[in-house]
Amino acid sequence: MIFAGSPQAKGGVERYDSTAQTRPPTDAVGFGIDTYDRLNPWPNDFHAPYPNAKLSYPPRDPTSGFTPLSEGTDLGRIFRTGETRVSHGCATSYGGARYMMADADGVVLEVPDGAVPDVHVDAATEEMHVERAGRRWGCGPISPRGSAGISSAPDRRGLQHLLSQMSGENAARRG
């Protein structure tokens, strides 16, 4: 990828792109490539190394600029997303589901209603956790995605009907 920070540099990138697009067909004709059997190995054998040899420069310092990760590096702290959520007791919502926050020993993280913990999602494992007070608290689902719907009743008789309907649905699920 070539970054350009000025109009002149952007023009240079455009000129290079034009050269990179028109050069292969011109070179193929110039080298007498007239069949697919001769064309197939040509990009890897000649064309790819040619621009690298002509347009690249050796580094001033030939040692690698990359340093190995230290042992025990937690890539989940590097490759993750983070969102601020509002807590409701020991639970928070994310992606349409509710999650309880607890550590590895099962101790529940209790925060006041309305507290704002940062919820992190590991990019590789998609596991959720909250970091608070120097500890990592996992987030386990306690309700499914999607809304269950809110029902209301206008009076006592409507409430009784709603409750009997809900108990009938629960009995049908169990049975």
Side-chain angles (χ1 to χ4, degrees):
M1 183 175 290
I2 301 172
F3 296 101
S6 69
Q8 293 82 4
K10 291 177 195 265
V13 170
E14 292 298 324
R15 282 190 299 281
Y16 172 76
D17 287 345
S18 176
T19 301
Q21 290 173 1
T22 58
R23 186 79 185 243
T26 306
D27 283 350
V29 171
F31 283 96
I33 297 172
D34 54 1
T35 65
Y36 282 111
D37 291 335
R38 292 183 64 197
L39 179 64
N40 282 338
W42 182 71
N44 292 332
D45 294 345
F46 174 76
H47 187 69
Y50 177 74
N52 287 338
K54 185 165 176 81
L55 301 172
S56 65
Y57 299 95
R60 288 184 194 155
D61 183 5
T63 59
S64 175
F66 296 101
T67 55
L69 291 174
S70 58
E71 198 167 319
T73 300
D74 182 12
L75 293 177
R77 292 186 60 80
I78 300 170
F79 298 106
R80 67 182 183 182
T81 60
E83 289 191 30
T84 302
R85 312 303 294 173
V86 175
S87 71
H88 303 283
C90 59
T92 188
S93 62
Y94 183 85
R98 295 196 33 91
Y99 293 87
M100 179 174 283
M101 300 170 281
D103 67 3
D105 298 327
V107 176
V108 175
L109 170 65
E110 293 189 34
V111 293
D113 281 352
V116 188
D118 291 327
V119 175
H120 301 284
V121 180
D122 187 311
T125 63
E126 295 185 2
E127 292 178 357
M128 290 179 48
H129 67 274
V130 171
E131 291 177 1
R132 194 166 176 93
R135 291 176 63 189
R136 179 181 235 167
W137 304 83
C139 296
I142 56 174
S143 70
R145 292 182 183 269
S147 60
I150 298 174
S151 301
S152 63
D155 55 18
R156 193 175 286 202
R157 185 186 306 175
L159 178 61
Q160 184 60 45
H161 175 71
L162 184 64
L163 291 172
S164 62
Q165 183 181 12
M166 288 171 64
S167 67
E169 289 173 4
N170 287 338
R173 280 190 208 137
R174 284 184 295 228

